[in-house]
Structure formats: structure tokens, C-alpha cells
Amino acid sequence: MIPRGKLYISYKDLVSGIYYCLTGRFKSQKPRLDQQDNKLICLSVRTGIDLVLNALNFPPGFEMIVTDINIPDMFAIINWHELTLVPIPVNKYTLNMSPAQVEAAITPATKAILITHLFGSVMETEAIIAIAKKYNLIIFEDCAQAYAGNLYDGNLASDVVMFSFGFIKTNTAISGAMIKIKDPALYADVAARNAKYDRQDTLGYFKKLCKVFFVKLLTSKIVYTCFYNLVMAMGKDFEAVLDGFTKGFPGDDIFKHIRYQPSRPNQRLLRKKLTNFDQRSITERIKLANDILPEIPDDYKIGFNNKKHTYWVMPVETLDPDGLIKHLRSNGFDASQKASSLIKLNKSNTIPAPEDLQLENLFYLPVYPAMSKKDRSRLTKLLIDFSLVK
């Protein structure tokens, strides 16, 4: 069974993280990232946006225009701050929001715009930011799925840019995020608030690193196949089992989990990974997409007209996702609809346009750069064969 993906962390880095936990010392003499260019290391993107909204302290009832697809916690945090969410659809071919729709949604109550880059793509931001400046709105960029090393560091004109290094993210440090804040006064306020949080305990981070060791072992083809067969033989839900390994913040009270600083070993590993990021991993990921996507029917493709796509994940669309997933799994490829926790925030009393991105027909291809040419070709053929049957 080809696993649905690989973790972006080496065994060497996991050993380094465990070492940092066991020694309990922070030996790096390099300048701290959160003292350069208004970059703040915090626990998660959820933590970052919560901190910034606390600092901005918008009165209840104001509005934030948002990309209509994100993880549930991001929408929940904005709602908790008593802002009204105004969703704008994503074009499934470009993975962009329409600047005209953004401007049409602005009212006297609008205070901010949250741009969310999806699946490893980068949304076109220039026109939206120009609109935001015209109306004196704050621009947030959620780049949790868009980290690509030196290929994209956020739009220089954006007020808040947020990158995630959580469990399944590119260049993961298992947890942690980097938040860039343009205004020095806002940065100082947010950094001071973050500094008041307790640190997550080192033991908890140590346990996460050990769990990731196990998960990384699982992603070898032979071990993954055995694990899949064992779970199925036990009559358990394979998706639920995997979700138990990858869920970042379990439970309903999100704030109980996010209002912490990352442990010192977590910060140290994150800085190490940011300093030593291998840009070739992104080049190889783009090559993988270029090997597969041009060969499959256009009806499958999502975001193929996006000009800055690095394919953190590779979603495709079909009217029969369950059938295609079953077809791929029966031929040794673990495709899934649940590789992401994204939800769509539907605008009431509107009918989606044909080009609007919908989630119910998406699933994620089990691909990763180390995948052999033979497996790439087999996967491509399976997708073509299924489309012909349909």
C-alpha cells in the first residue's frame, strides 16, 4: 500500500529534538528569529491570529472578510472575538478569490480581510491588498499550507503573515508557527502578550516526538501495508485511527490548548529547520505534480491555473470520490478524503457558481517526491481508467 503522504521531518531532526528535550539547554548563539523583521515564534497559527485579534481588540459586530475554506478552528477563533465572518468563494481552477467579490463585500463594518492560501498554492494578492489599503483594512495572510522556503514569504504589504510548522506541514517541527507583523507597535503588543503565556511542557513535546517516530516508521510501504491490513482486520475505521495520530489540538475548548508558548526544545528545533530548509524538496514536489497532472483528465484537476503552486497536497475532484478511493485502495494506493480538516463556510441564500471550489467531491492523491516513476505511472493509469469507466 502506497501511504497517503510522508512527514517533512528526518529521523536526524527527530533525534535532535529528543536531544534538546533531554538536555534542556538552548545553546544557539544565533539571533532569535522573533527579534528580526518582526517575526514571532508562537505555538500555532491559531495562537497567532488569536494574539493579534486580542491586540487589535475590534468592537463586537465588526466584520472580517475571509476565504470561505479553512480549518474549523480559524473560523471559531474569529467568531469568539465577536467578528462577523463574510465568506468569499475560491475559484477551483486558480485557487484565487475574486477581487471584485471582495470589494463588493466591504461595508462600513468591515475591519479586516483574511486571505487563506490552499493546498500549497499562493493566491494572487496584489489586487486584494490594493482594495484593502483603499478602505483602510488590515490584511491577514494564512500561509499555513503555503510554506515553500524562499519561494514565498508573504506579500510585503500584508499586515500579518502566518506560517505553520505543525505535524503534517512542510518543514514540520511537530508544532510551532512563525507570525510576521508589519507594524512595529502591533508586533510589540503581540509579542508581549505571547511572552505572558506559559510554555508548553517539555515532556509533552518529547512524547510528540516519540509518536512521530512511530508515524514515520508507518509511512514505509511495507509497514504501512501491514498496519492497514491489521486495522481493517480488527474492524476499525482506518481514517479514525490515523486521525488520532495527526490531530493537532483535540477537544472542544481550543483556547485551552493554543494559549501557550512552544517549549524551548520546540523553538530550538523549529529554528534549526528554518535555517537548514532544503529548497530542493519543493522543486521535487513541483516535478512530481508535473509528472502526474498533465497526464490525467482535466476534470480531475484543482488549481491547475494557479501560477505559484508547490503542491503541499494534491487534491483532485470527482463526482464519485468513494468509488475512486475504493478503486485506488484496491490497487495499493491509500487515497483519502480526510487528509485535510478543511471546511467550507457557505454564504446564506446564495447558489454556488460552477467554478467555486467545493469540498465534498475532493480527495487527496497519495503522492510524495520519493515516489518511484513506476508508481507515478501506475497511479496515473488508474485515474485514467476510472475516468473512462465513468
Side-chain angles (χ1 to χ4, degrees):
M1 179 75 73
I2 301 293
R4 60 187 58 178
K6 299 279 188 177
L7 297 178
Y8 284 86
I9 190 167
S10 67
Y11 286 112
K12 182 179 179 180
D13 283 334
L14 287 170
V15 169
S16 294
I18 290 171
Y19 171 76
Y20 300 153
C21 290
L22 294 177
T23 60
R25 285 177 291 198
F26 190 86
K27 298 180 179 179
S28 174
Q29 300 303 310
K30 295 179 180 179
R32 294 169 60 93
L33 284 173
D34 54 357
Q35 293 177 349
Q36 301 176 358
D37 303 323
N38 288 359
K39 295 177 180 177
L40 175 71
I41 298 296
C42 60
L43 184 63
S44 68
V45 164
R46 299 167 176 89
T47 306
I49 195 168
D50 179 48
L51 283 164
V52 175
L53 290 177
N54 274 321
L56 292 171
N57 194 27
F58 293 131
F62 280 95
E63 297 173 351
M64 178 183 282
I65 294 172
V66 298
T67 307
D68 70 345
I69 294 174
N70 208 320
I71 61 171
D73 287 345
M74 291 295 282
F75 293 143
I77 290 166
I78 295 167
N79 273 328
W80 187 90
H81 285 274
E82 300 186 84
L83 289 168
T84 299
L85 294 158
V86 181
I88 302 296
V90 176
N91 182 288
K92 68 179 180 180
Y93 306 115
T94 64
L95 299 178
N96 291 327
M97 291 191 295
S98 161
Q101 288 184 342
V102 170
E103 185 161 22
I106 294 172
T107 73
T110 307
K111 285 293 184 181
I113 300 173
L114 172 63
I115 297 171
T116 302
H117 305 290
L118 297 172
F119 309 135
S121 71
V122 173
M123 191 178 293
E124 293 179 3
T125 58
E126 294 294 339
I128 294 174
I129 290 174
I131 292 166
K133 299 309 176 186
K134 175 181 174 182
Y135 293 94
N136 197 29
L137 306 179
I138 292 175
I139 282 282
F140 291 79
E141 279 192 72
D142 179 355
C143 302
Q145 299 186 8
Y147 182 76
N150 60 25
L151 291 186
Y152 190 67
D153 200 32
N155 192 305
L156 292 176
S158 292
D159 298 289
V160 181
V161 180
M162 306 174 288
F163 290 95
S164 172
F165 304 96
F167 190 20
I168 62 173
K169 298 298 194 301
T170 301
N171 206 29
T172 177
I174 314 308
S175 59
M178 183 174 68
I179 313 298
K180 294 174 55 183
I181 301 174
K182 184 179 178 183
D183 177 53
L186 179 60
Y187 168 80
D189 189 344
V190 170
R193 291 170 186 270
N194 187 57
K196 291 178 182 177
Y197 285 161
D198 293 334
R199 292 190 185 278
Q200 283 206 316
D201 67 284
T202 297
L203 178 60
Y205 186 60
F206 176 81
K207 289 178 178 178
K208 287 181 181 179
L209 290 167
C210 293
K211 181 175 77 170
V212 172
F213 244 108
F214 173 71
V215 174
K216 190 168 176 63
L217 286 170
L218 276 183
T219 59
S220 68
K221 187 175 178 179
I222 295 175
V223 176
Y224 194 83
T225 301
C226 293
F227 181 68
Y228 176 80
N229 290 334
L230 176 63
V231 171
M232 298 305 290
M234 295 171 65
K236 293 188 176 181
D237 184 336
F238 188 66
E239 298 285 359
V241 172
L242 286 186
D243 188 56
F245 289 126
T246 60
K247 190 171 179 61
F249 295 99
D252 294 328
D253 186 356
I254 182 64
F255 296 103
K256 185 173 69 175
H257 299 286
I258 67 172
R259 287 177 174 172
Y260 287 91
Q261 294 184 68
S263 66
R264 292 192 184 279
N266 188 176
Q267 291 189 52
R268 187 175 181 185
L269 182 59
L270 177 52
R271 292 188 176 96
K272 177 178 185 289
K273 296 211 67 186
L274 289 172
T275 301
N276 299 312
F277 180 67
D278 186 356
Q279 197 66 43
R280 291 174 300 177
S281 64
I282 302 299
T283 303
E284 291 167 358
R285 205 163 69 187
I286 295 171
K287 184 181 184 306
L288 169 69
N290 290 336
D291 284 348
I292 293 173
L293 293 178
E295 305 300 323
I296 65 175
D298 287 345
D299 288 349
Y300 280 130
K301 299 174 187 177
I302 294 295
F304 61 88
N305 284 334
N306 186 282
K307 305 303 181 185
K308 296 180 180 179
H309 208 325
T310 64
Y311 302 96
W312 170 62
V313 291
M314 200 181 298
V316 295
E317 184 178 44
T318 175
L319 295 177
D320 184 13
D322 291 337
L324 184 47
I325 288 170
K326 184 178 179 180
H327 173 64
L328 292 177
R329 284 184 177 172
S330 66
N331 285 279
F333 291 88
D334 183 27
S336 173
Q337 276 197 292
K338 299 182 180 179
S340 169
S341 59
L342 294 172
I343 63 169
K344 184 176 176 68
L345 190 66
N346 290 309
K347 197 170 183 178
S348 60
N349 302 319
T350 59
I351 299 174
E355 67 273 14
D356 291 351
L357 179 62
Q358 307 296 327
L359 297 179
E360 60 268 20
N361 292 329
L362 291 191
F363 76 98
Y364 300 87
L365 294 179
V367 292
Y368 47 91
M371 196 174 185
S372 69
K373 289 185 178 179
K374 180 180 177 181
D375 285 334
R376 296 181 193 199
S377 296
R378 277 206 310 129
L379 177 60
T380 300
K381 185 176 185 305
L382 288 168
L383 291 168
I384 293 171
D385 289 348
F386 188 83
S387 70
L388 292 176
V389 171
K390 290 295 173 179

